[in-house]
Amino acid sequence: MNRARLLAILVTAFLLAFFGLALVNALLVAMAIPLVVYLAAAFALRPRRGELQVQRRAIRQRLMDGERLEVEVEARNGPRPFSELMLVDRPPPALPVEGAAPLAGGFFPPGQHHMLRYTLRVKRGLHPWPPPQAVAYDPTGLFSATMETEPPTSLAVLPRVTRLPSITIRPMNTLAYAGPVLSRRAGEGTDFFGVRPYRPGDPLRRINWRATARGLHGIVTNEFEMERIADVGLILDARQRLDIHIKGQRLFEHGVHAAACLANAFLQGGNRVALLLYGAYLEWVFPGYGKIQRERLLQALSHAQTGESLVFENLEYLPTRLFPARSQLILVSPLCGDDVEPLFRLRARGYQLLVVSPDPVRFESRLMPPHPETQWAARIARLERLLLLRRLGQAGIRVADWDVDEPLSSALLRLPPRPAPHYGAIL
Amino acid sequence: MLSRLLAPILALTSGIALYLPLRLLHPAWLAPLVLTSSLVWALGMTRSPALWPSLGLPLMAGWAGLAAWRGLPPQTALVALILTLAAWDLDAFQRRWSAVHDTLHPWRLELLHFLYLGGMCGLGYGLAALSLGLRLRLTFGWILLLGLLFFLALSRLARPSIAEKHAGQGGAAR
């Protein structure tokens, strides 16, 4: 209903009639008559909810960040005509519509069928999607009837996933099944592990003839390192205070993208992957393998949001019990000075740590106006960050310093070589 | 859309319809003021904020009422009011549909609206002209009763708007 217009004509008609009666002026009263006729006709012809069916169809069901979604809204009229009918779809506010607004309408004769098509550019997230509306107007537009034939729904957009190069991890513990991770145990494999005295049954091609020729331990056999799958715990840092939101861009989105890519890469390697979102609260996806687990992780990442909590202000309360002892942990976080001590403790407990750190300094300084003060501040912040990353590196924590303007794979290729094992060949 | 052209033309015509006889009446400032108002309204229809369509009718009807009270010929006042009403309606119509790019049967939509508006304006004008020819001698009590009935009818018309305000957007219609 157009309240302003209705009020305008009501007030005008009332004032004309009132002054006409008060001033005993028949012309003024007569002037109110056309307005009253107009109003009465609009009221008599005000639209009723008809037998109109409105149905929305999205062409694709599984969506990833940055993709296009083609939406169709189909309206089919029943036996009653609508003199003025407007078909409106209300896309989620965060998703921009490409081209014209999803709006159609006009005269709808009985049995009229119309299809409204538009395209959305989707962004990661869980977007509530109100149902499409059909608004029927009376000929004056004063009264309207809104028809919604579908319940509200939501649109889940998964984070974008790109392929990553092989990432070498060396957790202390591995699982029982064959996989790509060196397990620090002798067995079937391709990497040289050590030598041991010959045992009956050892294949002859494994005999280390040079060591045998030295004659110190009799016949000596080469051992190879077993390759197994591993438990990988992904931790996505969703603390509000580490997120940077500038000019419509968020650093957190890059973190989500990195977590999705890493989850995909490790699951493709056959590993068992779990996910922990560490922000306003803890959201935990149980460890699992394969494509189903990939979907679980992507769904969890699709609605990941930053949040603030006094309890989870720093990484002090990272629930390590959720991750198997001495497994591989991968933290995706911009990092801050408070995080060093908790990470050292994790390392001391035997976890192998890999930190993928989207660089907040470069991200922010690039989007800020180039004042000399900003450049100096960025330089100081970069130095602080370099020191922080160096301290982590000295503690045996591998850090991928990721400038978010470059592909994640480039940052991972620059990772320091795999950590040296803490053991040697034992004879 | 034709209504996009017609609405400002009708608004300006209603202003001119009031201006020409008002030049001969007292006070002298009323005629240019009415013409300026209609000109501003007509310009506002082409490039204005959304408040103008609602304010145009009370403004121009108010001028017409004032002119009628100052002795404007009844037929002129009625014609000016009808033109104002038509301009106000067409402006709202074209605003309602100008945002819609995908219009079904646009000519039929506009034609139906013109027919409806023409009918309403004709009926309104006819009834108003007829009522001017009637000679009723009413006592004060009758006037009071008719005023009360008129007020009740208007409040009945306004009831859906009030109900919608309380029920939220679109609540009354559904």
Side-chain angles (χ1 to χ4, degrees):
Chain A
M1 177 177 297
N2 194 327
R3 201 173 290 132
R5 287 187 69 227
L6 185 62
L7 194 69
I9 194 166
L10 273 172
V11 168
T12 310
F14 179 75
L15 287 179
L16 282 172
F18 176 78
F19 282 112
L21 290 172
L23 301 171
V24 198
N25 188 325
L27 180 55
L28 285 180
V29 179
M31 283 171 74
I33 290 174
L35 305 183
V36 174
V37 168
Y38 183 88
L39 263 173
F43 186 73
L45 295 173
R46 69 187 187 281
R48 311 257 180 231
R49 193 190 163 98
E51 292 172 27
L52 185 83
Q53 288 183 341
V54 184
Q55 195 176 15
R56 179 168 57 207
R57 283 193 297 270
I59 304 297
R60 296 181 58 181
Q61 295 298 321
R62 192 173 182 280
L63 287 163
M64 294 201 135
D65 188 20
E67 288 182 339
R68 284 192 175 90
L69 173 67
E70 286 177 20
V71 186
E72 288 180 351
V73 180
E74 186 186 13
R76 196 179 289 276
N77 196 10
R80 273 187 50 205
F82 286 100
S83 60
E84 290 187 21
L85 187 90
M86 206 177 278
L87 199 59
V88 190
D89 199 7
R90 297 164 294 170
L95 306 184
V97 178
E98 289 191 343
L103 200 61
F107 175 70
F108 256 65
Q112 171 80 41
H113 169 258
H114 185 68
M115 188 78 84
L116 170 65
R117 289 188 180 88
Y118 64 97
T119 308
L120 287 175
R121 171 79 73 173
V122 296
K123 289 178 185 169
R124 182 197 69 86
L126 188 67
H127 307 281
W129 202 355
Q133 282 184 342
V135 186
Y137 292 98
D138 74 305
T140 63
L142 288 177
F143 299 97
S144 61
T146 306
M147 290 165 269
E148 287 178 359
T149 53
E150 280 186 355
T153 179
S154 60
L155 182 69
V157 181
L158 307 179
R160 191 166 42 90
V161 176
T162 49
R163 288 182 72 85
L164 294 180
S166 166
I167 307 161
T168 310
I169 52 170
R170 295 297 298 268
M172 301 290 277
N173 277 355
T174 50
L175 296 169
Y177 302 106
V181 179
L182 296 172
S183 66
R184 300 172 191 256
R185 282 198 296 268
E188 292 298 321
T190 53
D191 280 23
F192 178 74
F193 186 67
V195 291
R196 61 166 171 77
Y198 176 80
R199 288 183 208 136
D202 282 349
L204 285 180
R205 62 193 175 91
R206 285 208 181 168
I207 292 173
N208 190 327
W209 294 107
R210 282 173 183 267
T212 305
R214 287 191 199 112
L216 297 173
H217 303 283
I219 302 174
V220 174
T221 306
N222 283 337
E223 280 189 320
F224 295 91
E225 194 167 7
M226 268 203 301
E227 287 169 359
R228 291 286 179 257
I229 59 167
D231 261 314
V232 178
L234 269 172
I235 304 165
L236 175 62
D237 193 342
R239 288 175 292 169
Q240 181 80 53
R241 69 188 182 107
L242 293 190
D243 187 21
I244 294 170
H245 197 168
I246 183 167
K247 290 185 180 171
Q249 294 190 40
R250 287 181 68 188
L251 186 62
F252 180 68
E253 290 300 324
H254 295 285
V256 173
H257 168 60
C261 295
L262 289 164
N264 182 54
F266 284 112
L267 282 170
Q268 277 187 339
N271 298 292
R272 188 163 73 170
V273 182
L275 173 72
L276 177 73
L277 297 177
Y278 191 85
Y281 53 89
L282 298 176
E283 185 171 345
W284 169 241
V285 180
F286 276 90
Y289 307 90
K291 289 180 180 172
I292 293 175
Q293 179 69 0
R294 180 178 182 269
E295 284 307 305
R296 274 193 212 116
L297 296 178
L298 291 181
Q299 289 286 347
L301 287 170
S302 75
H303 61 256
Q305 288 299 330
T306 54
E308 201 60 77
S309 160
L310 282 176
V311 179
F312 305 123
E313 196 178 14
N314 53 39
L315 297 178
E316 199 69 41
Y317 298 105
L318 199 67
T320 49
R321 281 183 211 171
L322 295 175
F323 302 105
R326 308 173 118 204
S327 63
Q328 175 73 46
L329 295 185
I330 298 176
L331 173 68
V332 181
S333 167
L335 293 174
C336 65
D338 308 345
D339 298 339
V340 175
E341 293 302 324
L343 292 181
F344 282 177
R345 276 198 290 277
L346 281 177
R347 180 82 180 113
R349 283 178 197 161
Y351 289 105
Q352 286 295 318
L353 259 175
L354 168 65
V355 179
V356 176
S357 182
D359 189 345
V361 182
R362 284 203 189 102
F363 175 77
E364 192 169 2
S365 60
R366 198 167 291 138
L367 293 172
M368 286 180 77
H371 292 306
E373 295 87 352
T374 320
Q375 287 169 353
W376 277 106
R379 197 169 168 184
I380 293 167
R382 199 168 294 138
L383 280 171
E384 282 181 351
R385 181 172 162 80
L386 278 175
L387 284 174
L388 174 77
L389 300 188
R390 187 171 295 174
R391 282 186 70 196
L392 292 176
Q394 283 167 351
I397 299 170
R398 297 164 78 204
V399 183
D401 186 12
W402 179 32
D403 178 0
V404 295
D405 272 9
E406 66 179 12
L408 176 61
S409 53
S410 306
L412 291 172
L413 284 172
R414 284 198 306 269
L415 267 175
R418 66 187 191 194
H422 298 296
Y423 53 87
I426 302 160
L427 288 173
Chain B
M1 283 180 119
L2 194 59
S3 48
R4 193 181 181 84
L5 266 176
L6 264 180
I9 291 172
L10 287 177
L12 209 56
T13 313
S14 75
I16 292 167
L18 286 174
Y19 170 76
L20 292 175
L22 271 177
R23 278 190 315 165
L24 309 172
L25 295 175
H26 185 76
W29 50 263
L30 194 58
L33 199 62
V34 169
L35 191 64
T36 312
S37 300
S38 70
L39 195 65
V40 170
W41 186 32
L43 281 176
M45 282 177 182
T46 55
R47 49 183 299 179
S48 76
L51 195 63
W52 270 105
S54 303
L55 289 182
L57 177 73
L59 183 73
M60 291 305 292
W63 289 133
L66 185 65
W69 183 52
R70 300 299 299 174
L72 194 76
Q75 299 305 326
T76 313
L78 277 179
V79 166
L81 185 85
I82 292 289
L83 287 173
T84 300
L85 183 64
W88 183 75
D89 178 275
L90 286 179
D91 180 43
F93 176 75
Q94 69 91 9
R95 269 172 206 283
R96 197 160 60 245
W97 291 103
S98 61
V100 182
H101 300 288
D102 184 8
T103 314
L104 281 98
H105 311 293
W107 284 106
R108 197 166 173 189
L109 176 77
E110 203 158 27
L111 183 69
L112 278 175
H113 190 79
F114 285 152
L115 284 175
Y116 173 82
L117 183 64
M120 283 306 102
C121 288
L123 183 66
Y125 180 79
L127 285 177
L130 194 69
S131 71
L132 283 176
L134 290 177
R135 286 287 174 265
L136 293 176
R137 196 174 292 277
L138 299 175
T139 60
F140 181 72
W142 273 107
I143 290 175
L144 206 63
L145 184 68
L146 284 176
L148 190 67
L149 283 175
F150 185 74
F151 180 75
L152 285 175
L154 286 184
S155 64
R156 174 74 185 90
L157 282 171
R159 198 177 296 162
S161 168
I162 296 161
E164 186 179 285
K165 191 178 177 183
H166 289 299
Q169 192 69 32
R174 272 180 265 139

